[in-house]
Amino acid sequence: MKKLINAEILDNKCVAGDIYRLIVKADMDGKPGQFIQVRLPSNEFTLRRPFGIAALKDGQVTMFYRVVGHGTEYLTNVKVGTEINLLGALGNGFSLSEGKVLLVGGGLGLAPLIFAASELESVDVLIGGKNAEEANLWQSEFEPLVDKLFIATDDGSAGVHGFVTELLPDVLRTNKYDAILTCGPEIMMRRVAALAKESNISCQVSLEKRMGCGLGACLSCSIDTINGRRKICKDGPVFAAEEVFYAQN
Ligand code: FES
C-alpha cells in the first residue's frame, strides 16, 4: 500500500563531511531495501527524490543524504519542525535470509544496509568510505548491529587503503557467508557480484537510477535484465545479481 505522508522533521544535521542525517516523524510500514520519494518543501522542486531508509521504528524514519546539488543544498537549510511530504515505502526490498549474511556498502549505499543489519540475526559489514570521518559515521551506526566490521577508505585514513572490493576477497577467504547484500556505486556492486559468484554465494544488489514517478508509470528507471525490461522503482530496487549483471558474470 503506497502512502503519502506529511512528516515533521525532527532532526536534520551534518554528520560527516557533506553527509546529513534526516529524521522525520512518520508512521510508515516498510522493509529494508525499500525507499521513500521525498518532496522538498518548496515549489522550486517539483520532482521527488529517492532516499533509502536507514531506520524505521517508533514512528520515526531515518534517512541519510549527501549534498550533491541545488535540491539537497536546499534541504540542509530546512528547519526542524517543518513538514515534508513522503511517498513510501516503495519498491521490493531485500529478501532477508537465515544464516550468515555479509553487507557490502559504499558511501550513501550503506544507509539502507543499516536497516537490513537491524533485521538480521547474524551479520557482518564491509564499509567503504571516502575517509576516516565518513567511515567513523558508518562504524558508529553499524557497531551495535553486527558481529564483525571491516573498513576500507579511499584515502587510507581508516581501515584498509583502497576500495571495499580489494578487501572483499580476504574477507571471503577467512569467513563463511550464506548471502551477500550490496548497495553503492554500480562499479563496486558489479565486482562484489562477481566475487560472490566465484565463491558460490547468493548476492542481491540494490540499484539506483534517477527516478520520475517512483511508481512504475513513467519508465524513466527501466533497465535491461535477463528477464527483459524491468523498472528499478517497482521491480527493484533490489535484484538478484545474476538478473542484472549477467554480462559481466
Ligand atoms: Fe517512473 Fe520508475 S521512476 S517508472
Side-chain angles (χ1 to χ4, degrees):
M1 176 78 165
K2 314 293 180 245
K3 275 204 292 186
L4 274 172
I5 297 172
N6 279 329
E8 181 191 339
I9 295 180
L10 301 174
D11 199 18
N12 181 25
K13 65 164 171 281
C14 182
V15 283
D18 53 5
I19 299 177
Y20 280 65
R21 178 167 48 218
L22 176 69
I23 303 178
V24 299
K25 191 172 165 188
D27 203 5
M28 179 182 281
D29 289 328
K31 58 186 270 201
Q34 288 192 296
F35 66 97
I36 296 170
Q37 286 279 74
V38 176
R39 192 179 199 288
L40 301 179
S42 160
N43 289 336
E44 196 187 337
F45 307 103
T46 48
L47 268 190
R48 291 175 181 271
R49 287 158 170 75
F51 280 38
I53 303 171
L56 199 161
K57 61 177 176 199
D58 306 330
Q60 296 186 7
V61 182
T62 303
M63 297 167 273
F64 289 85
Y65 64 95
R66 194 187 288 280
V67 182
V68 287
H70 191 37
T72 42
E73 178 77 53
Y74 173 86
L75 184 56
T76 64
N77 291 311
V78 177
K79 300 269 178 287
V80 167
T82 308
E83 282 202 336
I84 55 172
N85 188 265
L86 312 179
L87 175 61
L90 303 173
N92 60 353
F94 291 108
S95 299
L96 300 182
S97 52
E98 305 207 335
K100 185 82 180 176
V101 178
L102 176 66
L103 308 173
V104 184
L108 258 281
L110 285 153
L113 298 180
I114 297 170
F115 192 7
S118 72
E119 303 262 309
L120 287 162
E121 284 291 311
S122 178
V123 58
D124 293 347
V125 65
L126 208 171
I127 289 172
K130 270 191 194 167
N131 50 38
E133 189 184 9
E134 285 195 12
N136 288 342
L137 161 68
W138 302 121
Q139 182 169 0
S140 64
E141 294 287 335
F142 279 100
E143 229 154 28
L145 306 172
V146 302
D147 299 325
K148 283 190 208 159
L149 196 139
F150 309 95
I151 295 174
T153 51
D154 299 354
D155 66 359
S157 53
V160 168
H161 188 181
F163 299 124
V164 285
T165 46
E166 293 167 56
L167 186 50
L168 183 56
D170 257 359
V171 173
L172 294 180
R173 239 190 321 273
T174 50
N175 298 271
K176 191 172 164 5
Y177 297 105
D178 301 295
I180 294 177
L181 313 181
T182 183
C183 186
E186 186 172 320
I187 188 164
M188 177 205 88
M189 292 194 290
R190 283 185 181 277
R191 182 74 187 129
V192 171
L195 290 166
K197 187 172 183 188
E198 274 172 36
S199 300
N200 219 6
I201 303 170
S202 84
C203 180
Q204 296 171 54
V205 302
S206 179
L207 301 185
E208 199 187 12
K209 205 172 174 193
R210 194 168 270 277
M211 292 187 190
C213 66
L215 295 168
C218 72
L219 306 183
S220 66
C221 67
S222 294
I223 52 161
D224 284 319
T225 75
I226 53 169
N227 298 316
R229 295 287 282 174
R230 304 286 299 273
K231 296 165 200 158
I232 290 179
C233 70
K234 196 147 186 276
D235 304 313
V238 178
F239 294 90
E242 62 273 16
E243 183 179 357
V244 288
F245 294 160
Y246 56 94
Q248 275 66 31
N249 294 319

